Amino acid sequence: MAQKPSTPKGTRDFSPQEMLRRKYIFNTIEKVFRTYGFLPLETPAMENLSTLTGKYGEEGDRLIFKVLNSGDWTQGLKLDEIIEETSSAVVKEKEDEKLILFDNSLAGLKDTIRRYLKTRDISEKALRYDLTVPFARYVVQHQNEITFPFKRYQIQPVWRADRPQKGRYREFYQCDADVIGSTSLLNEVDLTSIMVEVFSALGLGVVININHRGVLTALAKLFNAEDRLLEFITVLDKLDKGTIDDVVAEYRNRGFSEKTVNDTSSFLQQIVSLDGDAGDEFDALLRNRFTEAGLSEGIVGLDAVHWIQNIVKKQTKPGLPLPQIYHSLTLARGLDYYTGTIFEVKAAEGTLKSSICGGGRYDDLTGIFGLKNMSGVGISFGADRIYDVLLETEKFPAELGQSTRLLFANFGEAEALHCLKLLRQVRDAGIAAELYPDQVKMAKQFKYADDKGIPFVAIIGENEMKQGIVTVKDMKSGEQKAVKAEELISMIS
Amino acid sequence: MAQKPSTPKGTRDFSPQEMLRRKYIFNTIEKVFRTYGFLPLETPAMENLSTLTGKYGEEGDRLIFKVLNSGDWTQGLKLDEIIEETSSAVVKEKEDEKLILFDNSLAGLKDTIRRYLKTRDISEKALRYDLTVPFARYVVQHQNEITFPFKRYQIQPVWRADRPQKGRYREFYQCDADVIGSTSLLNEVDLTSIMVEVFSALGLGVVININHRGVLTALAKLFNAEDRLLEFITVLDKLDKGTIDDVVAEYRNRGFSEKTVNDTSSFLQQIVSLDGDAGDEFDALLRNRFTEAGLSEGIVGLDAVHWIQNIVKKQTKPGLPLPQIYHSLTLARGLDYYTGTIFEVKAAEGTLKSSICGGGRYDDLTGIFGLKNMSGVGISFGADRIYDVLLETEKFPAELGQSTRLLFANFGEAEALHCLKLLRQVRDAGIAAELYPDQVKMAKQFKYADDKGIPFVAIIGENEMKQGIVTVKDMKSGEQKAVKAEELISMIS
């Protein structure tokens, strides 16, 4: 029966140590969400396959984990049925006109296999791929119970059948906050403030990039690439990871016109020299170009980005450094999804280059489920990546939530029963405490305290029992001190 | 494109209101677990199919949700391959000796289908069915990193392809605490205290039943049913839901000997007249029977149950009623699993008859993964059932975690920008607050506050801005009061 146990490829166990750190991240994010009036929501891990397919593009569809319909697949019974039915169909026809019916039987065979094995027969459910589509499904399904604008947060795992690699898992958590049913930019202000506040609470320096679909559309028009908008922007977005030469080469390879290639190239040269917090100069340049060309969506986009930036910066507490919020005009993040503002956050510390939070405004999300004209805006924190950055930059606090502060050593039944009364008092005081359950060598009990990071061990032998005292060992300094039972709680808390 | 959206059968969405209540349950349980020195653990939703199959009996295996292997099943491509390969094999052979090869081709066809479609080809992963088997897998896999005794808790959903019905879902949460690597009954004492403490914190009256495998084995021996131990006990366990006559009839139907049936029947008559908290009398009766028959495992079991009961009761705070902890000698809860103590908790209020918490000691759990001699004991809270009971008995507190306390009404851009500064101050004070994002009719804004249960609305129009005041409306009493901006926080907190 013995098997070498493991978890499936791309999935992980989280040890107590890792869990305490993860909970610290989740709790920090959740606390900020709550302060901003977002309320929790959860949807099931499984959605109907039809809810998910067609929402994430062809590549996305392939990465959805499908769940086999219930039934005794393990024992292969359904398969035996199929094989039985298939072969008896063939055999039956065989007894008549051989060759012709043989061909018919082949067709029949194909039909039989198809009938039993079409995906919708094998699988009608799938694991959620993100939190946004299930959220849209929820909003449409429950639209009559919801008061809009609806502000919800959702912290749950998602699953993707991606090729596992460093930092990419097949099960990972998303922490989303969305407002649906309001077009006001004040929502964008709140979401930006949430990003500032979460990373400030985690002690992590970040850069927040903001862009707007209007700016991207205007750029594509400016360089005569309007007919290939999506492609134009997708290439532009790569400036983030490559050089201008790479981007220009890709435009040329993809057969964009020489005029588009050259205009874009010289424009990029110009803005790269200004990018970052060059602010006013950069803005003026874009604004002029858009105005000259009569591209009002570009102006709308620029105004939105600057309005958000300015208001969030105004809210910074006096004396604190201003949050780093930049306008990144190449930021796109899956353009076919976002229709307004686009957000992305990267760590300003550590070596991780990819984003740790992102989001934007979408106007048509619930439309796919039949509810039109419902604009939403949301952000999503990547808890797993934030974990990696905090670990690398050593930003996790030493104390993470409540763990055992006191271990009562076990010297045998009489002593243990004596300890139980004290243990009860310590726990009633809200302090996590344990009695070592077995009477084993002290070295082993001390090792247990050490491994578990328990700071104090209470030693109560025959003497201590008689005198009504407790010898407390400080595991860090190694010092031992005898205190009265009544003093125990104040000593360790 | 429009689809009527829904969740898969037996699964549920949890609205903000439901989530706040669920979190209250989870947080209460988690806080108690922590106080007792248990630390969090999480395992992936998917386990290797081989980890799960064969662990839950035949019926259990059928209820495991299997996940389809990655690949383009959606488009039916894999199936087309199978059909192509299958038919070309048949056609090829057809060209030779027809009838004989026709038979061969059928065999070949069967092989081909089998080869492609054995479950281990379709599915190698499955959704976890409970938290215990993944925990055992974790312990074996990480045995060299773990310090024993290992005390962990785990609060995660599990999935079962059960027929959905009232109170039974296909996705539900389990909240488990286990100690592994210690045989001491002090662990049972801790777990019993945890049950007492959790339900006391939730304000719910409960009955805790305890039994011991030794008692069950001794009973089976006493009535000459040792050779059909499991069956004997399974029937006995039904006394919980039926009458003695039902149980006796079932023994007879199943062909137990007349002696077994009659002896068991008269014994049951005798104990039913004593059951409940008859304590001493009941114990004496059993103890005598076991002693006379030389059934030492029965005595060991009785001693264990009474020891746990007495110690936990001793820990009750003076003045509080003693927790209701009974010895239920028919309690079995899946006997093939538990090897020592067995626990079960039922609500003493409301109409729910099934258990809301259960557990016990298991000696061989990690053995299935190759790690012998590792005794464990654990309990599992059924959060969904606890939710139902608390809702029915109206035990949920009115205030559940932090929700928005103040809504700033929106009178237009100038007023909104003015409010943002105050909003920042309120949030910085740790109070959840919102600014209504759109400038719409006041009636709509008040309705939003009402629906969301926001107790205060701040009204800041032109006048208030000029005078530096805030008009605060108490949504419950309907009263309005003008306060200075500085007084706002103390007023609403």
Side-chain angles (χ1 to χ4, degrees):
Chain A
M1 267 297 267
Q3 317 169 15
K4 193 181 178 307
S6 63
T7 58
K9 202 168 58 170
T11 68
R12 300 160 291 169
D13 290 319
F14 297 110
S15 70
Q17 162 83 328
E18 289 164 321
M19 277 306 296
L20 291 177
R21 288 178 173 154
R22 287 172 68 82
K23 277 172 176 283
Y24 162 73
I25 295 174
F26 293 137
N27 291 343
T28 303
I29 294 173
E30 189 173 8
K31 204 180 150 205
V32 178
F33 284 166
R34 287 281 188 98
T35 309
Y36 281 76
F38 289 78
L39 288 176
L41 176 80
E42 277 189 15
T43 60
M46 291 187 279
E47 291 280 348
N48 289 322
L49 197 49
S50 58
T51 299
L52 302 186
T53 44
K55 311 302 188 296
Y56 306 105
E58 229 176 87
E59 170 69 3
D61 274 356
R62 243 199 313 277
L63 300 184
I64 293 172
F65 274 115
K66 283 125 202 139
V67 176
L68 212 55
N69 287 348
S70 320
D72 205 350
W73 292 89
T74 322
Q75 304 302 319
L77 282 188
K78 272 202 178 173
L79 298 177
D80 279 343
E81 278 170 37
I82 296 166
I83 294 166
E84 255 345 287
E85 173 161 341
T86 309
S87 36
S88 69
V90 176
V91 170
K92 199 170 157 195
E93 307 204 358
K94 186 182 76 172
E95 287 162 4
D96 297 330
E97 294 172 48
K98 279 156 203 136
L99 275 176
I100 297 160
L101 284 174
F102 187 90
D103 283 338
N104 285 349
S105 71
L106 260 186
L109 165 66
K110 285 189 186 188
D111 279 352
T112 310
I113 297 184
R114 274 192 188 285
R115 182 149 41 86
Y116 277 88
L117 293 185
K118 272 177 306 190
T119 302
R120 74 154 190 270
D121 288 329
I122 304 182
S123 164
E124 287 157 340
K125 293 179 289 295
L127 297 180
R128 69 173 159 255
Y129 180 86
D130 70 359
L131 302 179
T132 313
V133 169
F135 173 55
R137 194 263 309 141
Y138 177 89
V139 168
V140 177
Q141 189 177 335
H142 300 271
Q143 52 186 292
N144 297 323
E145 304 142 39
I146 296 172
T147 306
F148 295 98
F150 183 47
K151 296 165 71 170
R152 82 88 174 80
Y153 71 86
Q154 200 168 343
I155 300 180
Q156 290 192 281
V158 301
W159 296 270
R160 295 182 186 179
D162 237 327
R163 250 182 69 150
Q165 59 184 57
K166 193 180 173 316
R168 192 202 280 160
Y169 306 103
R170 292 188 149 188
E171 174 180 63
F172 58 96
Y173 270 72
Q174 290 188 335
C175 313
D176 284 20
D178 288 80
V179 189
I180 199 156
S182 164
T183 55
S184 165
L185 279 179
L186 283 169
N187 298 299
E188 271 89 339
V189 167
D190 261 3
L191 292 173
T192 312
S193 293
I194 285 176
M195 295 188 270
V196 171
E197 212 168 312
V198 162
F199 290 111
S200 147
L202 293 173
L204 186 70
V206 295
V207 171
I208 301 175
N209 287 311
I210 310 187
N211 200 10
H212 193 283
R213 167 89 183 227
V215 172
L216 292 165
T217 307
L219 282 178
K221 286 185 179 170
L222 201 59
F223 302 124
N224 302 298
E226 201 186 338
D227 54 333
R228 293 168 72 183
L229 175 68
L230 213 84
E231 206 181 347
F232 178 81
I233 297 303
T234 307
V235 177
L236 194 64
D237 199 17
K238 291 184 180 169
L239 192 60
D240 190 37
K241 281 171 184 146
T243 65
I244 294 182
D245 288 347
D246 295 340
V247 169
V248 170
E250 184 155 354
Y251 277 125
R252 193 160 276 130
N253 279 345
R254 285 173 178 254
F256 280 87
S257 76
E258 265 314 294
K259 185 166 164 41
T260 296
V261 176
N262 291 333
D263 287 358
T264 310
S265 172
S266 62
F267 174 75
L268 290 180
Q269 302 290 355
Q270 206 179 350
I271 63 149
V272 158
S273 64
L274 293 178
D275 213 349
D277 207 10
D280 295 347
E281 204 177 344
F282 173 55
D283 179 53
L285 183 137
L286 273 175
R287 198 170 287 271
N288 284 340
R289 297 286 297 258
F290 290 161
T291 310
E292 278 167 21
L295 298 167
S296 58
E297 67 265 63
I299 303 294
V300 168
L302 280 176
D303 285 346
V305 171
H306 292 296
W307 196 79
I308 298 164
Q309 271 180 307
N310 290 335
I311 292 189
V312 174
K313 283 185 178 171
K314 260 193 206 155
Q315 294 193 8
T316 309
K317 270 190 197 153
L320 285 186
L322 288 182
Q324 298 190 58
I325 308 173
Y326 301 124
H327 176 203
S328 159
L329 89 168
T330 58
L331 178 66
R333 285 186 75 85
L335 180 74
D336 49 343
Y337 196 82
Y338 296 120
T339 51
T341 332
I342 303 168
F343 301 109
E344 186 168 77
V345 182
K346 293 188 173 189
E349 310 173 65
T351 55
L352 187 82
K353 293 282 165 268
S354 38
S355 69
I356 52 179
C357 180
R361 181 171 285 277
Y362 42 85
D363 282 329
D364 310 316
L365 193 68
T366 58
I368 48 179
F369 299 112
L371 183 64
K372 303 280 181 201
N373 301 319
M374 191 57 93
S375 186
V377 57
I379 51 172
S380 179
F381 289 87
D384 294 84
R385 287 181 180 170
I386 294 172
Y387 182 99
D388 290 345
V389 177
L390 293 182
L391 198 65
E392 186 199 356
T393 57
E394 298 180 350
K395 300 274 175 166
F396 281 113
E399 293 270 329
L400 286 163
Q402 195 194 28
S403 302
T404 306
R405 288 198 60 79
L406 179 68
L407 176 74
F408 287 89
N410 189 326
F411 286 95
E413 190 170 338
E415 289 87 349
L417 292 180
H418 175 86
C419 288
L420 279 178
K421 221 179 111 187
L422 283 171
L423 178 60
R424 184 71 263 162
Q425 288 168 5
V426 176
R427 285 175 176 165
D428 281 345
I431 300 167
E434 301 175 47
L435 164 61
Y436 195 92
D438 304 280
Q439 188 193 351
V440 296
K441 279 186 194 146
M442 278 310 292
K444 199 174 170 189
Q445 301 192 37
F446 280 130
K447 185 180 181 308
Y448 176 84
D450 236 10
D451 287 349
K452 211 169 163 176
I454 302 174
F456 299 103
V457 175
I459 298 159
I460 305 181
E462 218 177 309
N463 271 340
E464 280 89 351
M465 272 176 72
K466 264 188 217 151
Q467 299 176 44
I469 58 165
V470 186
T471 302
V472 179
K473 179 170 177 169
D474 182 323
M475 292 299 288
K476 213 166 182 182
S477 67
E479 276 173 39
Q480 291 197 178
K481 199 177 156 186
V483 298
K484 285 186 195 155
E486 308 87 75
E487 298 165 346
L488 182 61
I489 290 174
S490 65
M491 186 189 167
I492 59 167
S493 54
Chain B
M1 267 295 265
Q3 315 169 15
K4 193 180 177 307
S6 63
T7 59
K9 201 169 57 169
T11 68
R12 297 161 292 169
D13 290 318
F14 296 111
S15 70
Q17 162 83 326
E18 289 165 321
M19 277 305 298
L20 291 177
R21 289 178 173 153
R22 288 171 67 83
K23 277 173 176 280
Y24 162 73
I25 296 174
F26 293 139
N27 291 343
T28 303
I29 294 173
E30 189 172 9
K31 203 179 152 206
V32 177
F33 284 166
R34 287 281 188 98
T35 309
Y36 281 75
F38 289 78
L39 288 175
L41 177 79
E42 278 189 14
T43 60
M46 291 187 278
E47 292 280 346
N48 289 320
L49 197 49
S50 58
T51 299
L52 302 186
T53 43
K55 310 302 188 296
Y56 305 105
E58 229 175 87
E59 169 70 3
D61 274 356
R62 243 199 315 276
L63 300 184
I64 294 172
F65 273 114
K66 282 124 202 141
V67 176
L68 210 56
N69 287 348
S70 320
D72 205 349
W73 292 89
T74 322
Q75 304 304 317
L77 282 189
K78 272 200 178 172
L79 297 177
D80 280 342
E81 277 169 36
I82 296 165
I83 294 166
E84 254 346 287
E85 175 161 338
T86 308
S87 35
S88 70
V90 176
V91 170
K92 200 168 156 196
E93 306 203 0
K94 186 183 75 169
E95 287 162 2
D96 297 330
E97 294 173 48
K98 278 156 201 132
L99 273 176
I100 297 161
L101 282 173
F102 187 90
D103 282 339
N104 285 349
S105 72
L106 261 187
L109 165 66
K110 285 189 186 188
D111 279 351
T112 311
I113 298 184
R114 274 193 188 284
R115 184 151 38 86
Y116 277 87
L117 294 185
K118 271 178 307 190
T119 301
R120 74 155 189 271
D121 288 330
I122 305 183
S123 164
E124 287 158 339
K125 294 179 289 297
L127 296 180
R128 69 174 159 257
Y129 181 85
D130 70 359
L131 302 178
T132 314
V133 168
F135 173 55
R137 193 263 311 141
Y138 176 88
V139 168
V140 177
Q141 187 177 336
H142 300 270
Q143 53 186 288
N144 298 322
E145 305 141 38
I146 295 172
T147 307
F148 294 97
F150 182 47
K151 295 165 72 171
R152 83 85 176 81
Y153 71 85
Q154 200 169 342
I155 300 181
Q156 291 190 281
V158 302
W159 295 270
R160 294 183 186 177
D162 237 328
R163 250 183 67 150
Q165 59 184 60
K166 193 181 175 316
R168 192 203 278 159
Y169 305 103
R170 291 187 151 190
E171 173 179 65
F172 57 97
Y173 269 72
Q174 290 189 333
C175 312
D176 285 19
D178 289 79
V179 189
I180 199 156
S182 165
T183 56
S184 165
L185 279 181
L186 283 169
N187 299 300
E188 271 89 339
V189 167
D190 261 3
L191 292 173
T192 312
S193 293
I194 285 176
M195 295 188 272
V196 171
E197 212 166 313
V198 163
F199 290 111
S200 147
L202 293 173
L204 185 71
V206 295
V207 171
I208 301 174
N209 286 311
I210 310 187
N211 199 10
H212 193 283
R213 165 89 182 227
V215 172
L216 292 165
T217 308
L219 282 178
K221 286 184 179 171
L222 201 60
F223 301 123
N224 302 298
E226 201 185 338
D227 53 333
R228 294 168 71 182
L229 175 66
L230 214 84
E231 205 181 343
F232 177 81
I233 298 302
T234 307
V235 177
L236 195 62
D237 199 16
K238 294 183 180 168
L239 193 59
D240 190 34
K241 284 173 185 147
T243 65
I244 295 182
D245 287 345
D246 296 337
V247 169
V248 171
E250 183 156 355
Y251 277 125
R252 195 161 275 131
N253 279 344
R254 285 172 178 255
F256 279 88
S257 75
E258 266 313 294
K259 186 167 165 43
T260 295
V261 175
N262 292 332
D263 287 359
T264 310
S265 171
S266 63
F267 173 77
L268 289 180
Q269 302 288 357
Q270 206 178 351
I271 63 151
V272 158
S273 65
L274 291 177
D275 213 348
D277 207 10
D280 295 347
E281 203 177 345
F282 173 54
D283 178 54
L285 181 137
L286 273 175
R287 199 171 288 270
N288 284 341
R289 298 285 297 259
F290 291 160
T291 311
E292 278 167 22
L295 297 167
S296 58
E297 66 268 62
I299 304 294
V300 167
L302 281 177
D303 285 346
V305 171
H306 292 295
W307 197 79
I308 298 164
Q309 272 181 305
N310 290 335
I311 292 188
V312 174
K313 284 186 178 173
K314 260 191 205 157
Q315 293 192 11
T316 308
K317 271 192 196 150
L320 286 186
L322 288 183
Q324 298 190 60
I325 308 172
Y326 301 123
H327 176 202
S328 159
L329 87 168
T330 58
L331 177 67
R333 283 187 75 83
L335 180 75
D336 48 344
Y337 195 82
Y338 296 119
T339 52
T341 332
I342 303 166
F343 300 109
E344 187 169 77
V345 182
K346 293 188 173 189
E349 310 173 64
T351 56
L352 186 81
K353 292 283 164 267
S354 39
S355 68
I356 52 178
C357 179
R361 182 170 285 277
Y362 43 85
D363 282 330
D364 309 317
L365 192 69
T366 58
I368 48 178
F369 299 113
L371 182 65
K372 302 280 180 201
N373 301 318
M374 189 60 91
S375 185
V377 58
I379 52 172
S380 180
F381 288 87
D384 294 85
R385 286 181 182 171
I386 294 172
Y387 182 99
D388 289 345
V389 176
L390 293 183
L391 198 64
E392 186 198 355
T393 57
E394 299 180 351
K395 299 276 175 163
F396 280 113
E399 293 269 329
L400 284 164
Q402 195 194 24
S403 303
T404 306
R405 287 197 63 78
L406 180 67
L407 175 73
F408 286 89
N410 189 327
F411 285 95
E413 191 169 339
E415 290 86 348
L417 292 180
H418 175 86
C419 288
L420 279 178
K421 222 180 110 186
L422 282 171
L423 178 60
R424 183 71 265 161
Q425 288 168 7
V426 175
R427 284 174 175 165
D428 281 345
I431 300 167
E434 300 176 48
L435 164 61
Y436 196 90
D438 304 280
Q439 188 193 347
V440 295
K441 278 187 194 144
M442 278 311 291
K444 199 174 173 192
Q445 301 193 37
F446 280 130
K447 183 180 184 307
Y448 176 84
D450 235 10
D451 287 349
K452 212 169 164 177
I454 302 174
F456 298 104
V457 175
I459 297 160
I460 305 182
E462 218 176 309
N463 270 341
E464 281 88 352
M465 271 175 75
K466 266 189 217 152
Q467 300 177 41
I469 58 165
V470 185
T471 302
V472 180
K473 177 169 179 171
D474 181 323
M475 292 297 288
K476 214 167 178 179
S477 67
E479 277 172 38
Q480 291 198 180
K481 199 178 157 187
V483 297
K484 286 188 194 150
E486 308 86 75
E487 299 165 345
L488 181 61
I489 291 174
S490 65
M491 185 189 167
I492 59 168
S493 53

